[in-house]
Each structure stands twice: as C-alpha cells, then as structure tokens.
Amino acid sequence: MSGIYIHIPFCKQACHYCDFHFSTTMGKKEAMVLALQTELALRKEEFETEVVETIYFGGGTPSVLDLDEIEAIIATVYQNYKVSENPEITLEANPDDLIFTDSERSSGTNIFSAYRNLGINRLSIGIQSFFEEDLKFMNRAHNAIEAENCLQEATKHFDNISIDLIYGVPGMTNERWERNIEKALSFDLPHISSYALTVEPKTALANFIKKGSVAPLDDEAAQSHYDILTTKLAKAGYVCYEISNFGKPDYFSKNNTAYWQGKKYIGIGPSAHSYDGKNRAWNVRNNAKYMKAIAEGQLPMEIETLSKTDRYNEYIMTGLRTIWGVSLLRVENDFGKNRLEYLLQQARKYLEQDLLHIQDDVLLVTRNGKFLTDGIAADLFMVNLDTETSSA
C-alpha cells in the first residue's frame, strides 16, 4: 500500500492551539492548487512501481477548496499515478463548511453528494467539542449548533465518517467530557480520533499561558479524560487501534494505518512530509517559497537519510502506539541483536510496573500504560549508537 497526502495550507481563522502550517489569506488559493497539481506531476516517478490506495486531503482546512479545485487535484493524481480500483479518499472538513440551505437540502444538491461525486468516500470532520465554551476557547470557526447539524446531515450521505475531539481543555470537567463523548456516540459514527490539548510553541495558547490569562494545562485532568474516553468507547464497540484513534471493525483509517506501519507515502504541498522506507523528506514551510520553486520546476524539499538507529526509534514509537505493537523478531532481524537486547533491558522496569507486556513475542502497552506511551517509547530509544546510514 502506498498513499498520497495533500496539504491544503489555508484556514478561515487560526485556532489558538494549532501549530500546523496554514495561511488565513485566501488570495493565492487558485495559484496554490495549480502548484499542488504541478508537484504531483513532477514527482510521479517516485511512485512509478507503486499502487496508490489512499489519497488524503489534510491541512489546514481542505474544505475551504471549491469543488472544481478538489476535482482538479484528484484528476491529476489519476493522470500521473496508478490508483487502486477503490482507493480510500479522505477529506478533512470543518463543520461550518458543511452547512447548506433548505433549498439545497430539498433538491438533493448538497455539499455531501457533490463530494461523493468527486470520489471522496471518507470525511474527517473537526468537531473538537459540542460545547460552545470549548469552541470559543479554542477559537474555532464553527459553533456548537453547526457541530451537531453537520453530523445530522453528513450521516445521511456518508457511511465512513471520523470526527476529532479534544480533551484536557481548561475548565472541562469530567462530566462535560463524558457528555461530549455521549453526544458523539449518539450519531453512531464508525471512527473517532481524540487528542489531548497540548501547548505548542509560538501559538496563541502558549502566549496566553505565558501571560497568565490561561492556567497551565492539567496533566492529571487530561489523563482522567483519556481513561473515561477509552472506557466508554470500548463499551460502545470501538477498537483503540492507535493511542488516539478509535474505530469500529473495518473502519480503521487506511491512510493513517499505513503511516504507522511504515508504508511509503508522498506528501504534496508546503510543509508536507514524505517517506520511502529509507528517507524522510519535507517541503518548505512557506507558501510563497513553495509556489516559486514549483513554478521553476524544482522540488522545495529537504531530505534526510535515516540511519538504522533512526529507523529503530521510529518503529518503537509507531509500534507502541498501535494494537500491532513492536515485534521482537522484527527488531532483531531488521535492526540487530544488540538493539533487541537494549530494548528488552530498557523495557524491564515498564514490564514490572505493568505498563508494558509481551504477548506472542510482541511488545505492547497495557491499559495502564496507554496514556504514558510517548514517554515510555522515548525511554526505549537509542541515541548516538551509530553513524551508519540506512544502508547499514
């Protein structure tokens, strides 16, 4: 499986917590779409022998694109790449972009049917919260009514829908968080992604906390929210197949699963990342520089060749976050006996604390360890073991 990620670097407004690359100025949107199409064509040889099984529009806010712009990008993929018969095509969308008029509703010509006609078969909707106070705190572009209304309509037209929810928001009680989850469950959605609010450098949230206008985030509250989340979703039949992702059977994100399992993907657009199994590359995080380079027929990217230790560390991080865990046999075969011995030595204390366990020669986090996964993984990393490249 191979995938194509397309970064749409535009948003109506900046969320206070977000550090993704985007612009709130839409004046260059048409030129950016042309640049994205050009980059797709320039890089087709990278996937000459690959079959694309997932196309993912991320951002930013892809739902700010006009229908003809989305259609043009999808057509460019099909013109330049081998695409599977039924690829997963996901569009990230905000609720305020999915509201339509009564006349559109009665005529059946609405945004959802239009998306389906373009080949989009999966929506990822940025709900974040069903409560107005949370949405205002985050500076989201939609309100609580739009959050519910868009899902009421979306579920009539799409079977494969995911929503995002954020926990650990200052002032969010356990009761309000439970009500958020229950509201999500009332729509019978097949997939939910849920993330703890984090403070990223240079964001408005970081500035608010620094000035004292917002209290520092409460890790204990976030862990309590996560425990509530995993318990309620498990009872509702969702599988926590990655620390922050919960899906009903047959509804795991194929795009994201491919990332976690180390499959190849191409990232198109400013700031987008790519991976071919040995090298990681990323485009310049600047719209103007990106478009200028592409117009000149150049790829504005940096490339890093991963050493064996780099690849080991990435496998530990991604593996522990998923239900597939870390295969001890793969560690030994792909990265060497010394790394396996190091892994088992570092893991011993977490095994004793019931934060990790080994089942069928696979290292997995326990329920008690899930919220701590990133910290545990970091402690299992190897640092400066070697200077060899990925060919070693």
Side-chain angles (χ1 to χ4, degrees), residues 285-315:
R285 191 181 168 104
N286 181 288
N287 287 5
K289 291 180 180 179
Y290 168 80
M291 289 188 290
K292 182 176 185 296
I294 293 296
E296 295 171 353
Q298 300 175 5
L299 297 176
M301 67 169 60
E302 293 184 48
I303 301 175
E304 174 189 15
T305 299
L306 302 176
S307 70
K308 188 176 287 188
T309 296
D310 291 332
R311 289 185 284 118
Y312 161 85
N313 288 343
E314 289 203 4
Y315 177 54

Side-chain angles (χ1 to χ4, degrees), residues 64-296:
V64 301
L65 293 183
D66 298 332
L67 292 173
D68 61 344
E69 292 171 333
I70 298 173
E71 182 178 26
I73 294 171
I74 293 175
T76 303
V77 173
Y78 275 87
Q79 289 164 7
N80 290 279
Y81 297 82
K82 299 174 185 176
V83 181
S84 67
E85 185 176 344
N86 186 32
E88 177 188 86
I89 305 181
T90 302
L91 181 88
E92 290 184 353
N94 277 353
D96 48 295
D97 293 324
L98 302 179
I99 303 300
F100 49 91
T101 65
D102 290 338
S103 61
E104 289 173 325
R105 183 180 292 105
S106 61
S107 67
T109 57
N110 57 69
I111 191 65
F112 299 108
S113 57
Y115 282 157
R116 289 189 64 85
N117 289 337
L118 294 180
I120 294 165
N121 49 33
R122 184 173 185 271
L123 290 179
S124 178
I125 304 175
I127 298 293
Q128 314 308 0
S129 177
F130 291 99
F131 287 86
E132 198 66 31
E133 54 264 53
D134 297 333
L135 297 173
K136 287 182 178 179
F137 174 84
M138 299 179 206
N139 199 40
R140 295 292 292 169
H142 69 280
N143 58 44
I145 294 175
E146 290 172 329
E148 293 193 40
N149 286 347
C150 84
L151 288 179
Q152 289 171 355
E153 295 296 338
T155 51
K156 297 175 184 177
H157 301 273
F158 274 81
D159 174 54
N160 199 350
I161 297 174
S162 177
I163 66 167
D164 289 350
L165 294 175
I166 292 181
Y167 59 88
V169 178
M172 178 185 282
T173 62
N174 286 351
E175 179 187 9
R176 190 159 90 222
W177 176 234
E178 287 190 41
R179 289 169 62 193
N180 252 320
I181 299 169
E182 289 164 1
K183 177 61 71 174
L185 292 175
S186 72
F187 290 100
D188 194 26
L189 304 166
H191 192 281
I192 296 174
S193 296
S194 189
Y195 308 94
L197 183 67
T198 56
V199 183
E200 303 294 345
K202 299 181 181 179
T203 60
L205 179 58
N207 188 47
F208 295 155
I209 292 176
K210 182 179 179 180
K211 290 181 176 180
S213 57
V214 171
L217 303 188
D218 186 338
D219 289 340
E220 289 186 6
Q223 181 161 4
S224 178
H225 291 171
Y226 186 75
D227 291 341
I228 292 169
L229 175 74
T230 54
T231 299
K232 291 185 78 68
L233 292 189
K235 288 181 179 178
Y238 291 80
V239 178
C240 181
Y241 68 103
E242 191 273 343
I243 294 301
S244 300
N245 286 269
F246 304 79
K248 295 285 184 69
D250 299 324
Y251 284 96
F252 298 175
S253 167
K254 293 179 181 179
N255 176 81
N256 293 348
T257 297
Y259 293 162
W260 300 320
Q261 294 184 340
K263 307 296 183 182
K264 295 180 181 179
Y265 59 90
I266 288 178
I268 301 295
S271 82
H273 284 234
S274 304
Y275 178 69
D276 66 4
K278 294 182 178 180
N279 303 291
R280 191 167 299 285
W282 55 95
N283 286 344
V284 63
R285 191 181 168 104
N286 181 288
N287 287 5
K289 291 180 180 179
Y290 168 80
M291 289 188 290
K292 182 176 185 296
I294 293 296
E296 295 171 353

Side-chain angles (χ1 to χ4, degrees), residues 18-55:
C18 183
D19 73 337
F20 292 156
H21 173 67
F22 65 90
S23 170
T24 55
T25 302
M26 304 285 180
K28 298 292 184 180
K29 185 159 66 77
E30 183 178 345
M32 178 61 71
V33 170
L34 178 60
L36 297 174
Q37 291 178 262
T38 303
E39 186 186 0
L40 280 165
L42 288 172
R43 299 181 65 181
K44 63 182 179 181
E45 292 183 1
E46 294 179 37
F47 268 19
E48 195 170 18
T49 61
E50 300 290 328
V51 176
V52 174
E53 296 191 10
T54 65
I55 302 169

